[in-house]
Amino acid sequence: MTTKQSIVSSSLLWREPGKAPCDSHARIAFADGLITDVAVGGPAIRDGRLLMPALVNAHDHVRGLRHLAFGARDERFETWRAALYAHPRIDVYSNACLALGRMALAGIGTTLCVYSSIRVDRLIDDARAIARAAKDVGIRVGFVVPFRNRCTMALGDDQAVLALQSPEDRALIEKTWLYPWPSAETYIEIAREIGKLESDTFFVQYGPNSPHACSDELMEAIIAAAAADNRRIHMHFLESEPQRQWADAAFPNGILKHYDAMGLFSERFTGAHGIWLSQAECDFLASRGASIAVNTSSNLHLYSGLSPIDRYLRAGLKFAFGLDSFSLDDDEDMLRELRLSFYLHSVAHRPPGLTPASLFDAALKTGFWIVTNKHGYGAIEPGMPMDVLSLDYAAMTRDLIEGMIEPEDAMIARASSRYVRDLWVAGRQIVSDGKLVTIDLAAAEQDVLAQARAAGEQMRALKPAMARHQKTLRDFYDRGLHMSPQSRS
Ligand SMILES: [Zn+2]
């Protein structure tokens, strides 16, 4: 079925961000979700807008309610994580609508959703709610089915960590934090049920939470099922220094060797963060065709370190960028996230550094691959998806003297989500003139906040126990217990 061809026009077109200069007076024709023709230099168009490919968020947890709202303040990742248990139970659909809607307003057309609920009994229903939110908001979502069956609280055996808590807190933690994990078979059945939700804009992946969180038996089941289903595997990988220390203690022959023997690393594998990878490990992962999701702002918020992008570049290891549910300013500003990453990893830092070409190649092309398992994105060309955003370039450059700066240089230095005006995903316009037109975002926010505040009393009651638990974890890591033989469960 062929639908009518539509046309979008603008003053400027950044057809291949970072690689080629902007064109003027552009017209993009599209039909059935794909770009059919791109014409530039025709009759003058002076709307002051710039069109470019929609952005990709290659690692995120799609949290409508922000971390600070439920008490997770910035601190070292390993203790910060514990604060996530204070997340109140709120409607999954509304929460996802809020997060995805905000992303759309920031020009993100495709995002990963690493779902992190530990309630396996509700997973299928939750995935259905998120798929519905993705469809209603209108952006592409790669849903990562969460798997874990050990080391819930720390880089160590759950019972050993539980024994470190005061007796008064043990019962509470057991009730709130710990959960009877299903068998590997049940987990795979659940993932396959969720896989039935797949569509042109909703993709399903396997998400072992991290190496320490999954037993070898579970990992083997995931790897076999992902290979049989040709699905991607997305896993947090060497995000923090304690994780590096745990891995070195747990796998004296090397963590990569251990999982490579199981067949984990392939072009369908993405490691999230990958901050503590050595050059040799980057070389190895590159040889397997694997990729990394870099989360610069998250790494800053959680004191995890800077991703060794110089090593990735040297190795030819593919990577993309994600917000991990918080940017520098705790919003969804993906354009600012790219700029921050570019500056932190440009030539001035450890060479080789990012160039505009390698930045956008990673962000768009590899990002889309990491989320959707599909190639063929990153430029505005016939045959590519009609996933395009427009920015108010005139407002962004209102103080600049005409003819003194190239548009792409202004974009690198200034582009941010506040200038995003329109967004099309698969040919459907979901943001128009700076407003989300698919759902009522204000209502979604009101709904989420009302539900969260209704749980406020319960959350505040939990706070002292949470603080004591975090202190126990701090002691646990300070004493190096994550490197003890007991941690190798
Ligand atoms: Zn994450």
Side-chain angles (χ1 to χ4, degrees):
M1 191 185 76
T2 305
T3 47
K4 208 170 105 278
Q5 181 162 281
S6 307
I7 293 190
V8 167
S9 61
S10 69
S11 301
L12 290 165
L13 172 66
W14 210 15
R15 209 167 166 157
E16 268 195 289
K19 289 183 196 158
C22 290
D23 292 303
S24 299
H25 316 304
R27 288 165 182 81
I28 304 173
F30 59 98
D32 297 328
L34 297 176
I35 295 168
T36 50
D37 189 44
V38 182
V40 296
I45 298 163
R46 304 199 192 282
D47 64 355
R49 303 260 164 117
L50 178 147
L51 295 170
M52 65 176 283
L55 304 167
V56 179
N57 182 3
H59 181 87
D60 204 275
H61 299 271
V62 186
R63 293 193 176 111
L65 188 69
R66 296 192 193 278
H67 302 133
L68 287 181
F70 59 91
R73 66 182 181 89
D74 289 359
E75 62 181 296
R76 286 190 303 173
F77 173 78
E78 302 300 342
T79 48
W80 172 84
R81 242 201 90 243
L84 298 183
Y85 290 110
H87 195 292
R89 186 161 178 207
I90 43 181
D91 179 65
V92 175
Y93 172 79
S94 301
N95 203 36
C97 279
L98 179 56
L100 297 174
R102 287 192 310 234
M103 285 187 217
L105 286 175
I108 294 167
T110 296
T111 185
L112 199 74
C113 171
V114 179
Y115 194 54
S116 32
S117 169
I118 55 167
R119 291 300 304 264
V120 184
D121 56 335
R122 292 203 286 253
L123 262 186
I124 296 173
D125 286 343
D126 290 357
R128 286 190 185 125
I130 292 168
R132 193 157 57 87
K135 192 164 174 240
D136 291 351
V137 172
I139 74 174
R140 296 179 200 268
V141 170
F143 184 85
V144 181
V145 181
F147 292 82
R148 70 180 309 149
N149 65 356
R150 63 179 195 184
C151 302
T152 312
M153 293 176 285
L155 296 159
D157 177 69
D158 282 334
Q159 290 309 317
V161 177
L162 195 61
L164 299 172
Q165 317 293 322
S166 65
E168 49 169 327
D169 289 336
R170 264 176 230 161
L172 174 77
I173 289 172
E174 246 180 324
K175 194 171 71 159
T176 330
W177 277 241
L178 299 182
Y179 187 77
W181 308 108
S183 68
E185 296 74 48
T186 305
Y187 252 135
I188 300 296
E189 274 168 31
I190 290 170
R192 289 203 160 127
E193 191 58 34
I194 292 172
K196 292 179 188 162
L197 296 169
E198 222 157 37
S199 71
D200 288 348
T201 53
F202 193 77
F203 313 89
V204 176
Q205 309 193 2
Y206 286 82
N209 178 279
S210 37
H212 58 270
C214 298
S215 66
D216 281 357
E217 188 209 354
L218 181 58
M219 282 305 300
E220 276 162 4
I222 293 168
I223 293 164
D229 304 352
N230 188 33
R231 292 198 195 285
R232 301 192 63 81
I233 296 178
H234 192 102
M235 182 187 205
H236 292 96
F237 206 74
L238 299 179
E239 172 170 2
S240 68
E241 191 174 25
Q243 287 177 22
R244 168 89 261 176
Q245 293 163 336
W246 173 86
D248 290 344
F251 309 107
N253 296 322
I255 182 170
L256 263 59
K257 219 176 220 170
H258 181 81
Y259 289 107
D260 191 53
M262 290 186 193
L264 175 62
F265 305 116
S266 75
E267 60 168 20
R268 287 179 291 98
F269 176 82
T270 299
H273 300 275
I275 298 171
W276 295 84
L277 287 165
S278 69
Q279 182 65 59
E281 288 170 330
C282 292
D283 294 344
F284 181 79
L285 288 173
S287 76
R288 289 285 185 263
S291 50
I292 299 290
V294 174
N295 304 284
T296 305
S297 288
S298 161
N299 300 341
L300 294 172
H301 278 284
L302 305 179
Y303 315 137
S304 301
L306 282 181
S307 293
I309 286 183
D310 57 319
R311 292 180 189 157
Y312 306 164
L313 288 167
R314 219 175 281 125
L317 175 58
K318 292 194 287 285
F319 59 94
F321 299 93
L323 290 173
D324 201 12
S325 296
F326 47 169
S327 71
L328 187 66
D329 294 330
D330 202 17
D331 57 15
E332 282 73 27
D333 200 333
M334 195 73 213
L335 286 160
R336 179 174 291 137
E337 180 74 11
L338 293 181
R339 174 163 46 261
L340 178 71
S341 300
F342 175 63
Y343 287 152
L344 286 172
H345 301 286
S346 65
V347 284
H349 189 47
R350 296 178 301 201
L354 285 169
T355 61
S358 57
L359 173 79
F360 282 103
D361 204 63
L364 300 175
K365 206 167 133 190
T366 307
F368 197 77
W369 162 242
I370 285 176
V371 178
T372 68
N373 207 21
K374 288 179 202 299
H375 293 294
Y377 189 69
I380 294 181
E381 275 172 18
M384 290 229 174
M386 179 55 193
D387 288 22
V388 170
L389 72 89
S390 92
L391 284 114
D392 189 345
Y393 180 81
M396 192 180 87
T397 56
R398 68 201 174 282
D399 59 328
L400 306 185
I401 310 297
E402 208 184 326
M404 293 306 293
I405 193 87
E406 299 305 324
E408 51 278 12
D409 293 324
M411 284 294 290
I412 295 283
R414 287 190 177 180
S416 97
S417 62
R418 75 191 130 128
Y419 300 117
V420 171
R421 306 308 297 165
D422 308 284
L423 178 69
W424 293 264
V425 178
R428 174 187 182 199
Q429 183 160 16
I430 62 174
V431 174
S432 172
D433 225 5
K435 293 201 171 52
L436 188 67
V437 294
T438 49
I439 61 151
D440 185 342
L441 190 62
E445 185 180 53
Q446 246 174 32
D447 185 22
V448 166
L449 293 182
Q451 288 184 51
R453 285 185 176 130
E457 202 175 321
Q458 209 183 332
M459 290 158 76
R460 285 185 288 277
L462 194 65
K463 206 178 161 195
M466 181 71 66
R468 288 193 296 273
H469 176 55
Q470 286 181 307
K471 186 178 174 315
T472 305
L473 292 180
R474 255 170 242 131
D475 294 345
F476 175 87
Y477 290 107
D478 289 347
R479 289 164 61 196
L481 294 181
H482 58 297
M483 294 179 274
S484 75
Q486 211 179 26
S487 73
R488 293 168 231 174
S489 52

